[in-house]
């Protein structure tokens, strides 16, 4: 896992609390994918994945209604 990033200027004044990271690569960015690639899903789902170009690990799955209204 990557070393934690140093605190920035705004972090000193606006505490962000918990910073989620990818458990596989340590990247702090995430993206949400629609269920187009999932063949066996009977309901609309959203897949939360790591946004790192080299990782794209699936972090979690949510109902699509919880992500897109």
């Amino acid at each position: 896992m990557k070393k934690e990033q140093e605190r920035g200027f705004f972090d000193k004044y606006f505490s962000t609390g918990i910073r989620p990271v990818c458990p596989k690569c340590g990247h702090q960015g995430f993206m949400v994918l629609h269920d187009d690639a999932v063949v066996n899903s009977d309901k609309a789902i959203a897949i939360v994945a790591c946004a790192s170009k080299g990782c794209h690990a699936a972090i979690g799955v949510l109902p699509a209604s919880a992500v897109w209204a």
Side-chain angles (χ1 to χ4, degrees), residues 1-18:
M1 194 179 293
K2 289 185 179 180
K3 190 172 86 173
E4 185 177 332
Q5 291 182 351
E6 293 182 21
R7 296 185 69 181
F9 173 77
F10 289 107
D11 292 336
K12 293 177 184 175
Y13 299 103
F14 304 105
S15 177
T16 57
I18 298 171

Side-chain angles (χ1 to χ4, degrees), residues 2-64:
K2 289 185 179 180
K3 190 172 86 173
E4 185 177 332
Q5 291 182 351
E6 293 182 21
R7 296 185 69 181
F9 173 77
F10 289 107
D11 292 336
K12 293 177 184 175
Y13 299 103
F14 304 105
S15 177
T16 57
I18 298 171
R19 292 185 182 177
V21 296
C22 174
K24 183 177 177 185
C25 71
H27 190 262
Q28 290 184 348
F30 297 95
M31 62 184 168
V32 179
L33 307 170
H34 201 263
D35 65 340
D36 295 343
V38 181
V39 177
N40 294 331
S41 66
D42 56 346
K43 296 184 180 183
I45 61 171
I47 302 167
V48 180
C50 178
S52 175
K53 288 183 179 181
C55 183
H56 297 302
I59 307 299
V61 179
L62 298 168

